[in-house]
Amino acid sequence: MESEASYKKRKVISIGVVSQLTGLTERQIRYYEERQLIFPERTEKGNRLYSFFDVEQLIAIANKREDGVSTQEIKQEFSNEHSHNSKYRARNNELKGQIQAHFNKKNKY
Amino acid sequence: MESEASYKKRKVISIGVVSQLTGLTERQIRYYEERQLIFPERTEKGNRLYSFFDVEQLIAIANKREDGVSTQEIKQEFSNEHSHNSKYRARNNELKGQIQAHFNKKNKY
DNA sequence: CGTGTAAGGAATTCTGACACG
DNA sequence: CGTGTAAGGAATTCTGACACG
């Protein structure tokens, strides 16, 4: 319950591989960093390094972007997830799910 | 019991980072591949990609090399570990531990 | 706002080879 | 055998900017 986390959170993946893994362009990945959705580390020479966790976050971001969610909204959703009050979190997620499902229906058909 | 393995075995780390993680030079890492101790994948353009598992193997290799074990011997130890008969494996490991401890004593003092 | 692209430069990685021992 | 190094080239990554909308 610790060793797995160390693999998941360790920042070791360069942007080219992350691009492959997520299907996002490097431009998009850098932009999401600029918007503070993702926080890579840097090598001594300045190259970005990401974790598997970051890759999963980016995939989640890509899915939300496809659903028309703005980076600003995504950022707020992420900060809500970080509030460690499970009651509020559950309530928020349920509500957001309904709102977003409704929104998607309106826009996809 | 599956998700962790996927992080551990996924080949996503480039040689520069592996060098940092293991303390080995890129030259050494490439040489251990030549000696068939490690098996990175390649990107489309030919860059090597390693997993966390590979990194751990390399650290184990580095430790054995420090103890004077040759790449040839290390390779054989690894293939023994792959024999999935736990009785033989345990016996072999015990024996090798004794032999190697004895060997190290003779050589370090 | 979100993403593409061309620009120029710096750092990364690759291979094959010579060196030493 | 195991590792260092210089060599030349190709691919990677970085930043800042212009473009479109």
Side-chain angles (χ1 to χ4, degrees), chain A residues 41-89:
Chain A
E41 288 183 359
R42 298 278 183 144
T43 66
E44 318 81 77
K45 300 300 180 53
N47 282 22
R48 273 166 266 250
L49 290 179
Y50 302 84
S51 64
F52 282 112
F53 181 77
D54 293 331
V55 169
E56 290 173 9
Q57 292 278 291
L58 283 166
I59 291 169
I61 291 167
N63 289 332
K64 294 188 182 188
R65 287 288 305 128
E66 277 183 21
D67 291 340
V69 185
S70 73
T71 57
Q72 186 55 230
E73 292 167 320
I74 295 170
K75 183 174 180 177
Q76 286 168 1
E77 290 178 32
F78 279 179
S79 62
N80 288 341
E81 281 171 32
H82 290 317
S83 80
H84 280 263
N85 184 317
S86 56
K87 269 183 214 160
Y88 283 121
R89 197 169 57 218

Side-chain angles (χ1 to χ4, degrees), chain B:
Chain B
M1 203 140 175
E2 259 300 326
S3 48
E4 317 99 59
S6 81
Y7 295 135
K8 185 169 185 178
K9 298 284 189 111
R10 205 80 184 275
K11 310 268 191 176
V12 296
I13 314 178
S14 54
I15 196 165
V17 174
V18 172
S19 176
Q20 291 294 313
L21 258 29
T22 60
L24 294 166
T25 65
E26 298 183 10
R27 179 66 169 103
Q28 290 174 309
I29 297 168
R30 293 194 190 103
Y31 181 67
Y32 299 151
E33 176 184 1
E34 188 184 320
R35 301 312 310 273
Q36 313 248 55
L37 300 181
I38 204 83
F39 305 93
E41 288 182 0
R42 298 277 182 145
T43 66
E44 318 80 78
K45 301 299 181 53
N47 282 20
R48 274 167 266 251
L49 290 180
Y50 302 84
S51 65
F52 282 112
F53 181 76
D54 293 331
V55 168
E56 290 173 9
Q57 292 278 291
L58 283 167
I59 291 170
I61 291 167
N63 289 333
K64 295 188 182 187
R65 287 288 306 127
E66 278 183 21
D67 291 341
V69 184
S70 72
T71 57
Q72 187 54 231
E73 291 167 321
I74 294 169
K75 184 174 178 177
Q76 286 168 2
E77 290 178 33
F78 280 0
S79 62
N80 288 340
E81 281 170 32
H82 289 317
S83 80
H84 280 264
N85 183 319
S86 56
K87 268 182 213 158
Y88 284 119
R89 196 169 57 217
R91 205 176 291 147
N92 279 337
N93 283 343
E94 199 183 344
L95 200 57
K96 264 181 302 201
Q98 291 170 5
I99 292 167
Q100 187 159 306
H102 182 247
F103 183 79
N104 294 342
K105 263 177 203 156
K106 280 207 301 198
N107 283 281
K108 283 204 168 166
Y109 307 108

